[in-house]
Amino acid sequence: MSKYSIEEFLKQTEQEDKGQGLFELETPRMLEVNLEGQVWAKAGSMISYNGNIKFEREGLFEHGLGKTFKKAFTGEGASLMKATGNGKLYLADEGKKVIVLDLRNDVIHVNGNDLLAFEPSIKWDIKLMKRIAGMMAGGLFNVRCEGTGMIAITSHYEPLTLRVTPDRPVITDPNATVAWSGNLQPEFQTDITLKTFFGRGSGESIQMRFEGDGFVVVQPYEEVYFKSNS
């Protein structure tokens, strides 16, 4: 059989059940959700499904008035959709690498643009980083995920996890920061000496500084967000 035949192509790419549970990495850049009930996913991330699944846009007051107000300031990047039913759901986001995390009474902060899906058992809240909202296009927000259950996050290319210790703080570019442990509270600083190296509208390099004991996940890519005019 030719290695380029249709049969060989199907053999190499056909969906297969790996028995990994609710969230399954079908490929490094595609998440399979073995749905039996409900899951939250990033709006627009569905690429295929089978079975009896109903999709709903997140209701205006579904998660309370406070989150609705915060969402109005963060734009469409935080929009969620609810998938309910039984079947197989396939999610992806611009070809980014998918990372599945099984939280066990853990807390993690995820960049709002990098949260792909999570179980309903996960408690979440949108956190707008107000101090830099006026410095960066569209500001920057993250989602605090807490509890027990599965979440899926995304990264442009392979992520790198950096340990933060009391004697070794970590400084990152906000646009390259994917997630960080729940006990860390980043501070923001600017470095005017770096302004000639950055094509930013502010003319300054805005950085996130993490101090304490935990970890930060970064990606080898700067994700730039643009404020919607709508």
Side-chain angles (χ1 to χ4, degrees), residues 90-128:
Y90 297 93
L91 305 174
D93 186 15
E94 298 181 347
K96 296 197 290 185
K97 189 177 180 70
V98 180
I99 302 109
V100 175
L101 300 174
D102 188 4
L103 301 190
R104 295 296 173 191
N105 199 29
D106 298 309
V107 181
I108 188 170
H109 291 264
V110 183
N111 184 306
N113 202 46
D114 298 321
L115 183 61
L116 181 63
F118 56 93
E119 285 192 76
S121 59
I122 298 294
K123 297 177 183 176
W124 64 277
D125 194 16
I126 295 172
K127 303 287 186 180
L128 178 64

mmCIF file of all heavy atoms in Angstrom, residues 90-128:
data_model
loop_
_atom_site.group_PDB
_atom_site.id
_atom_site.type_symbol
_atom_site.label_atom_id
_atom_site.label_comp_id
_atom_site.label_asym_id
_atom_site.label_seq_id
_atom_site.Cartn_x
_atom_site.Cartn_y
_atom_site.Cartn_z
ATOM 1 N N TYR A 90 -15.597 18.432 19.649
ATOM 2 C CA TYR A 90 -14.204 18.722 19.325
ATOM 3 C C TYR A 90 -13.982 20.233 19.362
ATOM 4 O O TYR A 90 -14.705 20.992 18.698
ATOM 5 C CB TYR A 90 -13.832 18.147 17.959
ATOM 6 C CG TYR A 90 -13.938 16.638 17.937
ATOM 7 C CD1 TYR A 90 -15.115 16.015 17.524
ATOM 8 C CD2 TYR A 90 -12.879 15.849 18.372
ATOM 9 C CE1 TYR A 90 -15.222 14.627 17.545
ATOM 10 C CE2 TYR A 90 -12.977 14.466 18.377
ATOM 11 C CZ TYR A 90 -14.149 13.865 17.972
ATOM 12 O OH TYR A 90 -14.254 12.491 17.991
ATOM 13 N N LEU A 91 -12.984 20.638 20.143
ATOM 14 C CA LEU A 91 -12.690 22.052 20.347
ATOM 15 C C LEU A 91 -11.257 22.367 19.943
ATOM 16 O O LEU A 91 -10.345 21.552 20.148
ATOM 17 C CB LEU A 91 -12.876 22.435 21.827
ATOM 18 C CG LEU A 91 -14.239 22.126 22.471
ATOM 19 C CD1 LEU A 91 -14.176 22.434 23.965
ATOM 20 C CD2 LEU A 91 -15.347 22.922 21.799
ATOM 21 N N ALA A 92 -11.057 23.560 19.391
ATOM 22 C CA ALA A 92 -9.723 24.039 19.043
ATOM 23 C C ALA A 92 -9.759 25.557 19.005
ATOM 24 O O ALA A 92 -10.826 26.169 18.912
ATOM 25 C CB ALA A 92 -9.270 23.477 17.701
ATOM 26 N N ASP A 93 -8.577 26.167 19.069
ATOM 27 C CA ASP A 93 -8.503 27.630 19.059
ATOM 28 C C ASP A 93 -7.272 28.070 18.273
ATOM 29 O O ASP A 93 -6.151 28.062 18.786
ATOM 30 C CB ASP A 93 -8.435 28.157 20.501
ATOM 31 C CG ASP A 93 -8.497 29.675 20.557
ATOM 32 O OD1 ASP A 93 -8.874 30.304 19.545
ATOM 33 O OD2 ASP A 93 -8.164 30.241 21.617
ATOM 34 N N GLU A 94 -7.482 28.408 17.023
ATOM 35 C CA GLU A 94 -6.441 28.954 16.149
ATOM 36 C C GLU A 94 -5.200 28.067 16.090
ATOM 37 O O GLU A 94 -4.080 28.564 15.955
ATOM 38 C CB GLU A 94 -6.061 30.367 16.603
ATOM 39 C CG GLU A 94 -7.222 31.352 16.523
ATOM 40 C CD GLU A 94 -6.826 32.757 16.948
ATOM 41 O OE1 GLU A 94 -5.725 32.913 17.536
ATOM 42 O OE2 GLU A 94 -7.591 33.688 16.687
ATOM 43 N N GLY A 95 -5.378 26.767 16.199
ATOM 44 C CA GLY A 95 -4.254 25.847 16.099
ATOM 45 C C GLY A 95 -3.306 25.872 17.281
ATOM 46 O O GLY A 95 -2.192 25.334 17.207
ATOM 47 N N LYS A 96 -3.723 26.480 18.391
ATOM 48 C CA LYS A 96 -2.848 26.538 19.558
ATOM 49 C C LYS A 96 -2.770 25.163 20.228
ATOM 50 O O LYS A 96 -3.678 24.356 20.149
ATOM 51 C CB LYS A 96 -3.354 27.590 20.551
ATOM 52 C CG LYS A 96 -3.303 29.001 19.987
ATOM 53 C CD LYS A 96 -3.408 30.066 21.063
ATOM 54 C CE LYS A 96 -4.778 30.140 21.689
ATOM 55 N NZ LYS A 96 -4.886 31.266 22.637
ATOM 56 N N LYS A 97 -1.680 24.924 20.913
ATOM 57 C CA LYS A 97 -1.474 23.673 21.641
ATOM 58 C C LYS A 97 -2.428 23.620 22.831
ATOM 59 O O LYS A 97 -2.622 24.622 23.526
ATOM 60 C CB LYS A 97 -0.023 23.583 22.116
ATOM 61 C CG LYS A 97 0.369 22.236 22.685
ATOM 62 C CD LYS A 97 1.842 22.238 23.055
ATOM 63 C CE LYS A 97 2.282 20.896 23.623
ATOM 64 N NZ LYS A 97 2.296 19.857 22.578
ATOM 65 N N VAL A 98 -3.031 22.473 23.067
ATOM 66 C CA VAL A 98 -4.002 22.313 24.145
ATOM 67 C C VAL A 98 -3.345 21.587 25.320
ATOM 68 O O VAL A 98 -2.659 20.573 25.141
ATOM 69 C CB VAL A 98 -5.237 21.519 23.674
ATOM 70 C CG1 VAL A 98 -6.238 21.362 24.813
ATOM 71 C CG2 VAL A 98 -5.901 22.207 22.477
ATOM 72 N N ILE A 99 -3.550 22.115 26.524
ATOM 73 C CA ILE A 99 -3.041 21.502 27.748
ATOM 74 C C ILE A 99 -4.229 21.198 28.650
ATOM 75 O O ILE A 99 -5.046 22.080 28.931
ATOM 76 C CB ILE A 99 -2.061 22.434 28.495
ATOM 77 C CG1 ILE A 99 -0.881 22.807 27.599
ATOM 78 C CG2 ILE A 99 -1.572 21.805 29.783
ATOM 79 C CD1 ILE A 99 -0.891 24.230 27.129
ATOM 80 N N VAL A 100 -4.355 19.951 29.083
ATOM 81 C CA VAL A 100 -5.434 19.540 29.980
ATOM 82 C C VAL A 100 -4.890 19.471 31.398
ATOM 83 O O VAL A 100 -3.837 18.873 31.640
ATOM 84 C CB VAL A 100 -6.021 18.176 29.565
ATOM 85 C CG1 VAL A 100 -7.058 17.708 30.583
ATOM 86 C CG2 VAL A 100 -6.643 18.261 28.181
ATOM 87 N N LEU A 101 -5.604 20.085 32.343
ATOM 88 C CA LEU A 101 -5.219 20.070 33.745
ATOM 89 C C LEU A 101 -6.371 19.517 34.577
ATOM 90 O O LEU A 101 -7.516 19.935 34.409
ATOM 91 C CB LEU A 101 -4.869 21.481 34.227
ATOM 92 C CG LEU A 101 -3.713 22.190 33.517
ATOM 93 C CD1 LEU A 101 -3.591 23.616 34.009
ATOM 94 C CD2 LEU A 101 -2.404 21.433 33.731
ATOM 95 N N ASP A 102 -6.063 18.593 35.458
ATOM 96 C CA ASP A 102 -7.046 17.992 36.361
ATOM 97 C C ASP A 102 -6.878 18.645 37.723
ATOM 98 O O ASP A 102 -5.978 18.285 38.491
ATOM 99 C CB ASP A 102 -6.824 16.475 36.430
ATOM 100 C CG ASP A 102 -7.933 15.768 37.185
ATOM 101 O OD1 ASP A 102 -8.912 16.439 37.585
ATOM 102 O OD2 ASP A 102 -7.832 14.539 37.384
ATOM 103 N N LEU A 103 -7.713 19.623 38.018
ATOM 104 C CA LEU A 103 -7.597 20.344 39.282
ATOM 105 C C LEU A 103 -8.157 19.493 40.422
ATOM 106 O O LEU A 103 -9.222 18.886 40.296
ATOM 107 C CB LEU A 103 -8.347 21.675 39.216
ATOM 108 C CG LEU A 103 -7.934 22.682 38.138
ATOM 109 C CD1 LEU A 103 -8.611 24.022 38.383
ATOM 110 C CD2 LEU A 103 -6.428 22.856 38.058
ATOM 111 N N ARG A 104 -7.439 19.461 41.513
ATOM 112 C CA ARG A 104 -7.857 18.752 42.718
ATOM 113 C C ARG A 104 -7.848 19.738 43.870
ATOM 114 O O ARG A 104 -6.885 19.839 44.613
ATOM 115 C CB ARG A 104 -6.918 17.560 43.003
ATOM 116 C CG ARG A 104 -6.975 16.476 41.946
ATOM 117 C CD ARG A 104 -8.348 15.833 41.910
ATOM 118 N NE ARG A 104 -8.487 14.895 40.802
ATOM 119 C CZ ARG A 104 -9.657 14.376 40.432
ATOM 120 N NH1 ARG A 104 -10.764 14.764 41.053
ATOM 121 N NH2 ARG A 104 -9.735 13.533 39.422
ATOM 122 N N ASN A 105 -8.919 20.479 43.976
ATOM 123 C CA ASN A 105 -9.029 21.547 44.968
ATOM 124 C C ASN A 105 -7.883 22.545 44.808
ATOM 125 O O ASN A 105 -7.277 22.996 45.780
ATOM 126 C CB ASN A 105 -9.051 20.973 46.388
ATOM 127 C CG ASN A 105 -9.625 21.951 47.396
ATOM 128 O OD1 ASN A 105 -10.456 22.795 47.056
ATOM 129 N ND2 ASN A 105 -9.182 21.845 48.632
ATOM 130 N N ASP A 106 -7.577 22.853 43.548
ATOM 131 C CA ASP A 106 -6.498 23.783 43.210
ATOM 132 C C ASP A 106 -7.067 25.112 42.732
ATOM 133 O O ASP A 106 -8.255 25.224 42.397
ATOM 134 C CB ASP A 106 -5.621 23.197 42.090
ATOM 135 C CG ASP A 106 -4.946 21.901 42.497
ATOM 136 O OD1 ASP A 106 -4.327 21.886 43.565
ATOM 137 O OD2 ASP A 106 -5.038 20.919 41.742
ATOM 138 N N VAL A 107 -6.182 26.110 42.663
ATOM 139 C CA VAL A 107 -6.523 27.419 42.104
ATOM 140 C C VAL A 107 -5.471 27.769 41.061
ATOM 141 O O VAL A 107 -4.273 27.636 41.306
ATOM 142 C CB VAL A 107 -6.569 28.519 43.182
ATOM 143 C CG1 VAL A 107 -6.947 29.862 42.548
ATOM 144 C CG2 VAL A 107 -7.544 28.161 44.283
ATOM 145 N N ILE A 108 -5.918 28.219 39.892
ATOM 146 C CA ILE A 108 -4.994 28.666 38.857
ATOM 147 C C ILE A 108 -5.613 29.857 38.129
ATOM 148 O O ILE A 108 -6.833 29.913 37.940
ATOM 149 C CB ILE A 108 -4.660 27.522 37.869
ATOM 150 C CG1 ILE A 108 -3.544 27.941 36.905
ATOM 151 C CG2 ILE A 108 -5.904 27.054 37.117
ATOM 152 C CD1 ILE A 108 -3.004 26.794 36.060
ATOM 153 N N HIS A 109 -4.775 30.805 37.770
ATOM 154 C CA HIS A 109 -5.214 31.949 36.965
ATOM 155 C C HIS A 109 -4.806 31.688 35.519
ATOM 156 O O HIS A 109 -3.658 31.322 35.258
ATOM 157 C CB HIS A 109 -4.556 33.242 37.449
ATOM 158 C CG HIS A 109 -5.018 33.699 38.791
ATOM 159 N ND1 HIS A 109 -6.010 34.632 38.955
ATOM 160 C CD2 HIS A 109 -4.638 33.331 40.033
ATOM 161 C CE1 HIS A 109 -6.217 34.845 40.245
ATOM 162 N NE2 HIS A 109 -5.388 34.058 40.923
ATOM 163 N N VAL A 110 -5.725 31.906 34.592
ATOM 164 C CA VAL A 110 -5.466 31.668 33.178
ATOM 165 C C VAL A 110 -5.757 32.949 32.408
ATOM 166 O O VAL A 110 -6.792 33.595 32.619
ATOM 167 C CB VAL A 110 -6.332 30.517 32.622
ATOM 168 C CG1 VAL A 110 -5.977 30.240 31.163
ATOM 169 C CG2 VAL A 110 -6.169 29.258 33.465
ATOM 170 N N ASN A 111 -4.858 33.332 31.525
ATOM 171 C CA ASN A 111 -5.122 34.461 30.629
ATOM 172 C C ASN A 111 -6.472 34.228 29.949
ATOM 173 O O ASN A 111 -6.737 33.138 29.446
ATOM 174 C CB ASN A 111 -3.991 34.548 29.593
ATOM 175 C CG ASN A 111 -4.137 35.749 28.680
ATOM 176 O OD1 ASN A 111 -5.177 35.952 28.059
ATOM 177 N ND2 ASN A 111 -3.095 36.529 28.584
ATOM 178 N N GLY A 112 -7.318 35.250 29.928
ATOM 179 C CA GLY A 112 -8.676 35.068 29.422
ATOM 180 C C GLY A 112 -8.758 34.543 28.011
ATOM 181 O O GLY A 112 -9.716 33.874 27.644
ATOM 182 N N ASN A 113 -7.744 34.811 27.199
ATOM 183 C CA ASN A 113 -7.766 34.352 25.821
ATOM 184 C C ASN A 113 -7.282 32.910 25.681
ATOM 185 O O ASN A 113 -7.375 32.325 24.604
ATOM 186 C CB ASN A 113 -6.903 35.265 24.942
ATOM 187 C CG ASN A 113 -7.282 35.191 23.483
ATOM 188 O OD1 ASN A 113 -8.455 35.237 23.126
ATOM 189 N ND2 ASN A 113 -6.288 35.047 22.627
ATOM 190 N N ASP A 114 -6.759 32.342 26.774
ATOM 191 C CA ASP A 114 -6.163 31.012 26.708
ATOM 192 C C ASP A 114 -6.966 29.937 27.430
ATOM 193 O O ASP A 114 -6.506 28.810 27.565
ATOM 194 C CB ASP A 114 -4.735 31.052 27.283
ATOM 195 C CG ASP A 114 -3.827 31.965 26.486
ATOM 196 O OD1 ASP A 114 -3.945 31.970 25.250
ATOM 197 O OD2 ASP A 114 -3.014 32.690 27.090
ATOM 198 N N LEU A 115 -8.152 30.277 27.912
ATOM 199 C CA LEU A 115 -9.005 29.284 28.563
ATOM 200 C C LEU A 115 -9.942 28.687 27.518
ATOM 201 O O LEU A 115 -10.770 29.378 26.944
ATOM 202 C CB LEU A 115 -9.812 29.928 29.689
ATOM 203 C CG LEU A 115 -10.712 28.997 30.508
ATOM 204 C CD1 LEU A 115 -9.889 27.918 31.207
ATOM 205 C CD2 LEU A 115 -11.513 29.800 31.537
ATOM 206 N N LEU A 116 -9.799 27.379 27.254
ATOM 207 C CA LEU A 116 -10.556 26.730 26.184
ATOM 208 C C LEU A 116 -11.835 26.078 26.683
ATOM 209 O O LEU A 116 -12.891 26.211 26.058
ATOM 210 C CB LEU A 116 -9.682 25.680 25.490
ATOM 211 C CG LEU A 116 -10.313 24.922 24.321
ATOM 212 C CD1 LEU A 116 -10.652 25.872 23.168
ATOM 213 C CD2 LEU A 116 -9.382 23.812 23.838
ATOM 214 N N ALA A 117 -11.783 25.368 27.806
ATOM 215 C CA ALA A 117 -12.965 24.654 28.298
ATOM 216 C C ALA A 117 -12.767 24.282 29.760
ATOM 217 O O ALA A 117 -11.639 24.170 30.239
ATOM 218 C CB ALA A 117 -13.219 23.393 27.463
ATOM 219 N N PHE A 118 -13.900 24.056 30.463
ATOM 220 C CA PHE A 118 -13.815 23.605 31.846
ATOM 221 C C PHE A 118 -15.141 22.969 32.259
ATOM 222 O O PHE A 118 -16.196 23.239 31.699
ATOM 223 C CB PHE A 118 -13.440 24.748 32.797
ATOM 224 C CG PHE A 118 -14.347 25.941 32.763
ATOM 225 C CD1 PHE A 118 -15.415 26.066 33.623
ATOM 226 C CD2 PHE A 118 -14.113 26.974 31.849
ATOM 227 C CE1 PHE A 118 -16.250 27.178 33.600
ATOM 228 C CE2 PHE A 118 -14.935 28.092 31.804
ATOM 229 C CZ PHE A 118 -16.008 28.182 32.691
ATOM 230 N N GLU A 119 -15.041 22.120 33.258
ATOM 231 C CA GLU A 119 -16.225 21.446 33.794
ATOM 232 C C GLU A 119 -17.062 22.420 34.619
ATOM 233 O O GLU A 119 -16.533 23.368 35.204
ATOM 234 C CB GLU A 119 -15.813 20.273 34.677
ATOM 235 C CG GLU A 119 -15.317 19.052 33.951
ATOM 236 C CD GLU A 119 -15.203 17.860 34.883
ATOM 237 O OE1 GLU A 119 -16.254 17.272 35.215
ATOM 238 O OE2 GLU A 119 -14.075 17.523 35.278
ATOM 239 N N PRO A 120 -18.372 22.166 34.723
ATOM 240 C CA PRO A 120 -19.232 23.046 35.525
ATOM 241 C C PRO A 120 -18.869 23.052 37.010
ATOM 242 O O PRO A 120 -19.242 23.978 37.724
ATOM 243 C CB PRO A 120 -20.638 22.456 35.312
ATOM 244 C CG PRO A 120 -20.553 21.682 34.050
ATOM 245 C CD PRO A 120 -19.160 21.160 33.984
ATOM 246 N N SER A 121 -18.153 22.034 37.477
ATOM 247 C CA SER A 121 -17.769 21.976 38.887
ATOM 248 C C SER A 121 -16.701 23.012 39.240
ATOM 249 O O SER A 121 -16.458 23.283 40.420
ATOM 250 C CB SER A 121 -17.254 20.576 39.239
ATOM 251 O OG SER A 121 -16.140 20.231 38.428
ATOM 252 N N ILE A 122 -16.067 23.585 38.244
ATOM 253 C CA ILE A 122 -15.020 24.591 38.477
ATOM 254 C C ILE A 122 -15.654 25.950 38.748
ATOM 255 O O ILE A 122 -16.471 26.440 37.964
ATOM 256 C CB ILE A 122 -14.071 24.690 37.260
ATOM 257 C CG1 ILE A 122 -13.345 23.362 37.031
ATOM 258 C CG2 ILE A 122 -13.079 25.828 37.439
ATOM 259 C CD1 ILE A 122 -12.391 22.968 38.131
ATOM 260 N N LYS A 123 -15.277 26.565 39.848
ATOM 261 C CA LYS A 123 -15.709 27.929 40.141
ATOM 262 C C LYS A 123 -14.762 28.886 39.425
ATOM 263 O O LYS A 123 -13.545 28.693 39.448
ATOM 264 C CB LYS A 123 -15.658 28.196 41.652
ATOM 265 C CG LYS A 123 -16.591 27.320 42.461
ATOM 266 C CD LYS A 123 -16.428 27.593 43.945
ATOM 267 C CE LYS A 123 -17.298 26.672 44.771
ATOM 268 N NZ LYS A 123 -17.085 26.864 46.237
ATOM 269 N N TRP A 124 -15.313 29.918 38.802
ATOM 270 C CA TRP A 124 -14.468 30.832 38.036
ATOM 271 C C TRP A 124 -14.908 32.266 38.223
ATOM 272 O O TRP A 124 -16.053 32.550 38.564
ATOM 273 C CB TRP A 124 -14.491 30.457 36.552
ATOM 274 C CG TRP A 124 -15.847 30.593 35.918
ATOM 275 C CD1 TRP A 124 -16.867 29.679 35.945
ATOM 276 C CD2 TRP A 124 -16.345 31.716 35.196
ATOM 277 N NE1 TRP A 124 -17.955 30.163 35.282
ATOM 278 C CE2 TRP A 124 -17.663 31.409 34.807
ATOM 279 C CE3 TRP A 124 -15.791 32.947 34.834
ATOM 280 C CZ2 TRP A 124 -18.458 32.300 34.083
ATOM 281 C CZ3 TRP A 124 -16.584 33.836 34.104
ATOM 282 C CH2 TRP A 124 -17.896 33.496 33.735
ATOM 283 N N ASP A 125 -13.986 33.170 37.991
ATOM 284 C CA ASP A 125 -14.286 34.595 38.095
ATOM 285 C C ASP A 125 -13.328 35.363 37.199
ATOM 286 O O ASP A 125 -12.132 35.040 37.120
ATOM 287 C CB ASP A 125 -14.135 35.068 39.540
ATOM 288 C CG ASP A 125 -14.746 36.441 39.756
ATOM 289 O OD1 ASP A 125 -15.549 36.893 38.899
ATOM 290 O OD2 ASP A 125 -14.429 37.078 40.779
ATOM 291 N N ILE A 126 -13.831 36.373 36.512
ATOM 292 C CA ILE A 126 -13.014 37.197 35.629
ATOM 293 C C ILE A 126 -12.337 38.293 36.446
ATOM 294 O O ILE A 126 -12.978 38.979 37.247
ATOM 295 C CB ILE A 126 -13.880 37.830 34.516
ATOM 296 C CG1 ILE A 126 -14.439 36.745 33.600
ATOM 297 C CG2 ILE A 126 -13.072 38.833 33.713
ATOM 298 C CD1 ILE A 126 -15.454 37.262 32.606
ATOM 299 N N LYS A 127 -11.043 38.423 36.242
ATOM 300 C CA LYS A 127 -10.265 39.454 36.937
ATOM 301 C C LYS A 127 -9.660 40.387 35.897
ATOM 302 O O LYS A 127 -8.802 39.986 35.119
ATOM 303 C CB LYS A 127 -9.141 38.812 37.757
ATOM 304 C CG LYS A 127 -9.605 37.781 38.780
ATOM 305 C CD LYS A 127 -10.273 38.432 39.965
ATOM 306 C CE LYS A 127 -10.604 37.391 41.034
ATOM 307 N NZ LYS A 127 -11.256 38.011 42.209
ATOM 308 N N LEU A 128 -10.125 41.623 35.868
ATOM 309 C CA LEU A 128 -9.572 42.628 34.947
ATOM 310 C C LEU A 128 -8.383 43.304 35.606
ATOM 311 O O LEU A 128 -8.468 43.759 36.742
ATOM 312 C CB LEU A 128 -10.629 43.666 34.582
ATOM 313 C CG LEU A 128 -10.165 44.804 33.666
ATOM 314 C CD1 LEU A 128 -9.768 44.254 32.302
ATOM 315 C CD2 LEU A 128 -11.264 45.845 33.515
#
